[in-house]
Amino acid sequence: MKLIGFCVFMYLLDSSGDFRGKNPRFGGGAHTWDVLATWDGWWYQQIAAHGYHPALVPVPGATGLITLEGNSAAFFPLYPALMRLVSSCTGLGLLGAGLVVSVAASFVAALAVHAVTARISGRRAGLAAAGLWAVWPGSGMEWSGYSESLYIALAAWACYAVMRRNWLTAGLLTCAAGLTRPTATALIAALTLAALAELLRLRRAPRRPGGLPRPDASGRDAVLRPLAAVAIAPVGLAGYLGWVGYRMGDYSGYFKLQDGAWAHTFDYGRHTFKVFASLMVGHYDYLYACPFEDVIAAGTVLLALIVLPLLFRLRPPLVLTVYTLLTIALVLGSQQIFGNVSRYLLPAFPLLVPCATAMRRLSTPVLCTVLAIAALASGSYAGYVLFEVGVP
């Protein structure tokens, strides 16, 4: 399914040809595949090639929203590190290496989405969820020079590990996710609450006469492993933010950079509210307005909010509930390029579970037809619109 959408995306790029007249850094290039590593992808290539040089550099005379020069420290290190590793091992250029990492990670992520969904609603629902993930409105990022596929692979397998009570594995995966994207905050919080719930469950476990715990609640490992996971989980995120702050001489430097160079800040949903209020009356007078892209993003938000109560109805594990709610809250509560919401909600994969649960009743030919049609359309709404009509 993903290949179908990707081919449509490449065809639309080539047939329109608009990318040939654009800056190679901002959605342009000599070849269609060059577009896949523009925008944020350009920054990741710079990091892979030259490393980091964290700094808060004021823009001379700037008085508006953008007061600082862009700096690579805004982008987390695991994805560019893997790009450089693959490039060194294979001889591929950084663009090709980045695509190899993203494509490989997308398959790992799809397997994780399948595994999580199958544990809740069965294997057939798992297959449907993996197919839906490949055609989600933000899925154009899955095979591009972006870190989305890598982050979702780590986050989804971390959630699965928590569901299986493999606490150390979950902690290590969450730590790695924290080196990939700042939204790992949601995953860290979800793992922490799930671990605390597990400790509470063990405390309330039935005991034998004499006060000894039953075999299923016995042993120090049953307590130490969740605690170890809670301790390990935030190390990646906190370590990177701390290192950036140390290099900048300001431990809030990462957040100042995001605010001053990209106007990305947590505003408790004021920007999101303004966008919806404007879109409902056909106005585009808000920050970073991209009409076509923003309408798709608004539809994605509404779809997510509709599906959310259906997810709760399935009574998913605590880790999935907390992770999904916090991911949505971080996305909708931030001032950012609103059109990117469909991309930022891509990690909220548990939203696919209720849809996949309903679709498992479809026959195989009908299910494949539905997903194939969505895949054909995704070349436009999930790929071309993000990279060429909007700003990913």
Side-chain angles (χ1 to χ4, degrees), residues 3 125 142 173 213 224 241 243 247 251 263 338 365 390:
L3 182 60
E142 293 168 5
L173 289 170
L224 292 179
L241 294 180
W243 176 79
R247 289 288 301 273
Y251 282 99
F338 182 77

Side-chain angles (χ1 to χ4, degrees), residues 232-324:
I232 294 168
V235 170
L237 178 64
Y240 179 69
L241 294 180
W243 176 79
V244 169
Y246 172 76
R247 289 288 301 273
M248 289 181 172
D250 183 341
Y251 282 99
S252 61
Y254 174 84
F255 303 100
K256 289 182 178 178
L257 179 64
Q258 285 281 17
D259 186 11
W262 278 274
H264 289 182
T265 185
F266 192 79
D267 68 349
Y268 300 94
R270 287 191 296 272
H271 178 64
T272 300
F273 178 81
K274 182 175 182 179
V275 171
F276 270 95
S278 297
L279 287 177
M280 285 191 292
V281 293
H283 293 172
Y284 303 97
D285 54 355
Y286 49 87
L287 184 65
Y288 296 134
C290 296
F292 194 178
E293 186 185 28
D294 293 346
V295 169
I296 292 175
T300 304
V301 171
L302 294 176
L303 175 62
L305 296 179
I306 290 170
V307 171
L308 195 58
L310 301 179
L311 174 64
F312 294 156
R313 186 183 179 190
L314 294 175
R315 297 184 179 180
L318 178 64
V319 65
L320 295 184
T321 301
V322 175
Y323 171 71
T324 305

Side-chain angles (χ1 to χ4, degrees), residues 75-319:
F75 300 88
F76 278 53
L78 185 57
Y79 178 66
L82 291 176
M83 286 174 62
R84 183 158 186 165
L85 177 63
V86 171
S87 178
S88 300
C89 293
T90 64
L92 289 170
L94 291 175
L95 188 156
L99 294 181
V100 167
V101 172
S102 293
V103 172
S106 73
F107 284 104
V108 176
L111 286 172
V113 171
H114 172 273
V116 169
T117 307
R119 192 165 177 84
I120 297 172
S121 299
R123 293 180 60 186
R124 190 170 180 82
L127 289 172
L132 289 171
W133 185 75
V135 299
W136 178 262
S139 60
M141 299 298 152
E142 293 168 5
W143 286 9
S144 68
Y146 279 60
S147 61
E148 264 71 12
S149 287
L150 178 61
Y151 172 73
I152 296 164
L154 294 167
W157 280 116
C159 290
Y160 182 75
V162 170
M163 292 166 68
R164 295 288 302 272
R165 295 192 174 90
N166 295 326
W167 293 105
L168 293 181
T169 300
L172 291 171
L173 289 170
T174 302
C175 178
L179 290 169
T180 310
R181 295 196 64 81
T183 46
T185 306
L187 182 63
I188 294 167
L191 181 146
T192 300
L193 289 177
L196 293 177
E198 174 69 4
L199 293 175
L200 183 61
R201 184 188 70 83
L202 292 174
R203 183 179 178 82
R204 293 177 175 176
R207 293 178 176 269
R208 294 172 174 175
L212 295 175
R214 293 190 181 278
D216 64 347
S218 64
R220 296 174 61 187
D221 282 356
V223 173
L224 292 179
R225 287 177 182 272
L227 291 176
V230 171
I232 294 168
V235 170
L237 178 64
Y240 179 69
L241 294 180
W243 176 79
V244 169
Y246 172 76
R247 289 288 301 273
M248 289 181 172
D250 183 341
Y251 282 99
S252 61
Y254 174 84
F255 303 100
K256 289 182 178 178
L257 179 64
Q258 285 281 17
D259 186 11
W262 278 274
H264 289 182
T265 185
F266 192 79
D267 68 349
Y268 300 94
R270 287 191 296 272
H271 178 64
T272 300
F273 178 81
K274 182 175 182 179
V275 171
F276 270 95
S278 297
L279 287 177
M280 285 191 292
V281 293
H283 293 172
Y284 303 97
D285 54 355
Y286 49 87
L287 184 65
Y288 296 134
C290 296
F292 194 178
E293 186 185 28
D294 293 346
V295 169
I296 292 175
T300 304
V301 171
L302 294 176
L303 175 62
L305 296 179
I306 290 170
V307 171
L308 195 58
L310 301 179
L311 174 64
F312 294 156
R313 186 183 179 190
L314 294 175
R315 297 184 179 180
L318 178 64
V319 65

Side-chain angles (χ1 to χ4, degrees), residues 9 12 25 31 33 39-41 82 89 128 130 132 147 168 186 216 222 249 263 298 301 303 346 352 379:
F9 176 27
L12 292 174
R25 185 174 162 183
H31 308 93
W33 54 83
W39 302 103
D40 288 2
L82 291 176
C89 293
L132 289 171
S147 61
L168 293 181
D216 64 347
V301 171
L303 175 62
L346 189 59
L352 303 173

Side-chain angles (χ1 to χ4, degrees), residues 9 12-13 16-18 378-390:
F9 176 27
L12 292 174
L13 279 175
S16 70
D18 293 342
S378 73
S380 173
Y381 68 75
Y384 187 83
V385 170
L386 282 177
F387 277 95
E388 290 296 293
V389 180

